[in-house]
Amino acid sequence: MYVDSHCHINFPELAARLPEIFGKMAENQVSHALCVAVDLPEFPQVLDLAERYPNVYASVGVHPDYTDTPEPSVEQLVQLSQHPKIVAIGETGLDYYRLEGDLEWQRERFRTHIRASRETGKPLIIHTRSAAEDTIRIMQEEGAGLDKGGAGGVMHCFTESSAVAEAAMAMGFYISFSGIVTFKSAKELQAVALAVPLNKMLIETDSPYLAPVPFRGKTNEPGYVKHVAEYIAKLKSLPLEEVAQQTTQNFFKLFKIA
Ligand code: NI
C-alpha cells in the first residue's frame, strides 16, 4: 500500500478523468492521496474532492508562485482548516526561481501560513526553490518546528542539499521525494535520498507535473507514486514492502489521520 502525499487532482488535466485516475491508484495499490491547495479561489474544488472521496485528504493554502490571487490571513486559514478532511496548511514556502524583484510579500505570506499552522496544530506543506536559506530561517523565526512548539510538516518535492534536509529534520520535518529522484540527471538528489532515513521520508507525485521514470514528460497522476517508492527501495537496497509500509505510516502519523 502506498500513499501519494502531494498531488493536484483538481487541476483540469486530472479532474477531467477522475474515474480513470482512481482506477490506476487501485491497480497500483495507492490507497490514499493528499490533494494540495494552491490558492483560495480553487479551494472549494479541493475540499469538494476530499468530501466526495473517502481516500482523498486536502490542505488549505496559497502557493508562493501565485501572484494575482487573494492574500490569505491567519484567521482565514485557521477557519478554512476546521474541516476533518483538511489535514495540512499549504502549500506554502518561498520560490526565488520563478519570481524576481522584491519578494517581501512572499515571505510575509509564508509567515502567515506558519502562524496558522501553529494555531491549528495542522502541519505545513513547504515548497522551497532557490530560497533554502530564507526558508529555513523563517521556519526557525516563526517556530514552525516541533522543537519550538510548532506542528512540523513536510518539505515537499525536495530538491535541496543534505544540509537543508538535516536542518528541516532537526525541526521535526519530513522530507518528501517526487518523481525527480528517478531522473538520470538527479545524482545529487539521489545522494540526499540515500542519506534521509526512511522514518523521515514521504513520497509524492506532485501530479500533474514531474512524472517519474518511465513516464517522464507525460502527465503525472497519483498512481505513479509507486514508481517513486520502487526507485527509493532500489537506491536504499531495501525491500519495496518496507518502503511502502514506512512511508505510508509516516504519512498517517504526520497528518494525524487515525
Ligand atoms: Ni504542488
Side-chain angles (χ1 to χ4, degrees):
M1 197 167 89
Y2 307 88
V3 173
D4 183 0
S5 71
H6 190 119
C7 65
H8 302 284
I9 50 172
N10 62 306
F11 285 12
E13 51 271 68
L14 297 179
R17 35 186 281 267
L18 285 180
E20 191 193 324
I21 280 161
F22 283 104
K24 177 63 77 180
M25 282 173 67
E27 194 183 307
N28 283 355
Q29 298 152 295
V30 180
S31 60
H32 296 79
L34 204 172
C35 182
V36 176
V38 293
D39 69 1
L40 296 179
E42 281 181 24
F43 175 70
Q45 298 167 26
V46 171
L47 180 60
D48 178 60
L49 285 169
E51 284 182 330
R52 267 164 49 209
Y53 298 96
N55 60 339
V56 174
Y57 292 89
S59 70
V60 62
V62 181
H63 195 290
D65 285 349
Y66 282 54
T67 48
D68 193 17
T69 196
E71 203 59 46
S73 66
V74 175
E75 296 69 34
Q76 224 172 352
L77 292 173
V78 168
Q79 191 236 319
L80 292 173
S81 68
Q82 298 306 305
H83 184 287
K85 294 299 287 284
I86 303 298
V87 298
I89 305 291
E91 61 182 283
T92 182
L94 300 177
D95 192 328
Y96 298 168
Y97 180 82
R98 294 254 180 86
L99 300 173
E100 290 175 339
D102 181 4
L103 296 179
E104 187 52 30
W105 61 267
Q106 205 183 61
R107 291 184 283 274
E108 272 311 304
R109 184 186 286 176
F110 184 29
R111 290 181 191 277
T112 296
H113 285 77
I114 298 174
R115 289 167 193 168
S117 166
R118 285 183 59 93
E119 201 168 318
T120 57
K122 301 208 175 185
L124 289 156
I125 297 170
I126 296 183
H127 166 114
T128 184
R129 194 157 182 211
S130 305
E133 204 177 306
D134 281 4
T135 301
I136 295 292
R137 177 177 57 81
I138 290 175
M139 287 165 70
Q140 284 164 345
E141 284 174 4
E142 294 289 336
L146 302 178
D147 58 321
K148 301 250 183 72
V154 56
M155 306 304 284
H156 115 85
C157 196
F158 195 76
T159 53
E160 301 295 333
S161 66
S162 288
V164 175
E166 266 168 40
M169 288 190 288
M171 288 185 262
F173 275 71
Y174 287 80
I175 310 296
S176 181
F177 293 92
S178 70
I180 294 177
V181 79
T182 71
F183 297 173
K184 256 206 175 82
S185 54
K187 296 287 174 241
E188 285 171 36
L189 186 61
Q190 288 154 6
V192 175
L194 197 55
V196 169
L198 195 58
N199 66 1
K200 285 285 161 196
M201 190 182 285
L202 295 183
I203 52 173
E204 65 172 85
T205 60
D206 205 10
S207 52
Y209 314 118
L210 300 168
V213 172
F215 303 105
R216 189 171 181 184
K218 305 230 168 69
T219 302
N220 199 2
E221 57 178 85
Y224 293 171
V225 79
K226 185 182 181 179
H227 297 277
V228 177
E230 282 172 351
Y231 189 89
I232 299 274
K234 223 188 317 161
L235 183 75
K236 286 182 168 295
S237 306
L238 291 171
L240 178 58
E241 185 49 41
E242 190 179 336
V243 173
Q245 208 184 340
Q246 184 68 57
T247 53
T248 297
Q249 194 182 313
N250 295 345
F251 175 86
F252 287 107
K253 186 177 173 202
L254 171 61
F255 296 112
K256 305 179 182 99
I257 300 168

